[in-house]
Amino acid sequence: TGFTTTEVWQTPGAPAVFAEWRSDDPEAPTVLVYGHHDVQPAAREDGWDSEPFEPVVREGRLYARGAADDKGQVFFHTLGVRAHLAATGRTAPAVNLKLLIEGEEESGSPHFRALVEEHAERLAADAVIVSDTGMWSADTPTVCTGMRGLAECEIRLYGPDQDIHSGSFGGAVPNPATAAAHLVAALHDEHARVAVPGFYDGIVELTDRERRLFAELPFAEEQWLRTAKSYATHGEAGYTTLERIWARPTAEVNGIGGGYQGPGSKTIIPSTAMVKLSFRLVAGQDPDHIEKAVRAWAAEQVPAGIRHEIVFGAATRPCLTPLDHPALQSVVRGMGRAFEAPVRFTREGGSGPAADLQEVLGAPVLFLGISVPSDGWHAPNEKVELDLLLKGVETSAYLWGDLGEHWHDAP
């Protein structure tokens, strides 16, 4: 593409690619674009209509594994910087442009944070653009402003040293399966709020403006329920469905087990039980604080005579960019010019490595994605709409000039 620096950075797993192209303007801001080059496995026999790793164009769509997630959305930046230079007559971008394309996103980015920490000086930026997200729909261009964090754990409960007879001992010794059920029942109050003391400490509440902007999206709850394969909505009282999945913290039971699981009955008091929990976190929440709060809460719930241990996995911090941030305004203007339509705002209910970039580099994270829900990430016949891919190119081309022009206008 013309980047003056291109390097492969090794990790204990798959390598990452780094590229840099400095502006000829000494006052230019520095922007880092994040994406990933790895994809989910795919084979023709999974239900593909064509070979998944041989791109095919049909009816204005490009079908291939990674077409949307995430090779296509990395690719449009390479075309975008070319268009930016061609349209402006520049020989270097209007910003100091860096790309970091990792190779392990689909396996949880196990080595990504260490990679960012190792190369933090090389990756230093005023803003980060993450192009591994999507839009609301083809005719409703949107910019994501935040992504929830994640903490998850397994609570293991131990009672008798072995399974024992429920007739001989039932009602006289504590049952770990009953303790597991009690833990699950105590996780939420009657308003579906998380009942762990301290869980909501420090969270950034939704503003009236953000709630109004969410409400402007063409959200059809019945259609959403069909996608969710569910028959009713449920969640924290006082919030809409979109607010619950984008901007409110949650606690979910991912698994619960213990005792006899086979056919028929087996009248025992089991010796062990377990509960798997996950917590989606919003801006202002700290995974370390959540871990301490959950440990203290569980210790209060578990009855005497039941030993327990809690194992937490790796956590992901939430990230959120204020609506008035100058870099976000540049993304909105660039997308608005490309799509010739008003740009609305969303958040992501899931989690990803964006928070590591924000935390280690101390830079705001913006999301620029052009994929739509029908693209079928991780599914057979994954595709990208070619007209939207080109809109991504155009947005990228406008973005660098806008950032270069307006970055220093911000108060």
Side-chain angles (χ1 to χ4, degrees), residues 21-22 39 78 96 102 107 122 167 232 240 244 297-298 399:
W21 196 339
R22 298 196 63 81
V39 295
T78 69
N96 299 310
E102 74 154 314
S107 53
R122 299 282 305 278
T240 67
R244 289 169 181 163
W297 166 80
L399 175 58

Side-chain angles (χ1 to χ4, degrees), residues 31 47 83 86 114 127 133 146 156 177 213 220 256 268 277 282-283 364 410:
V31 182
T133 55
R156 301 165 185 167
L213 291 171
I256 179 172
I268 61 166
L277 304 176
V282 299

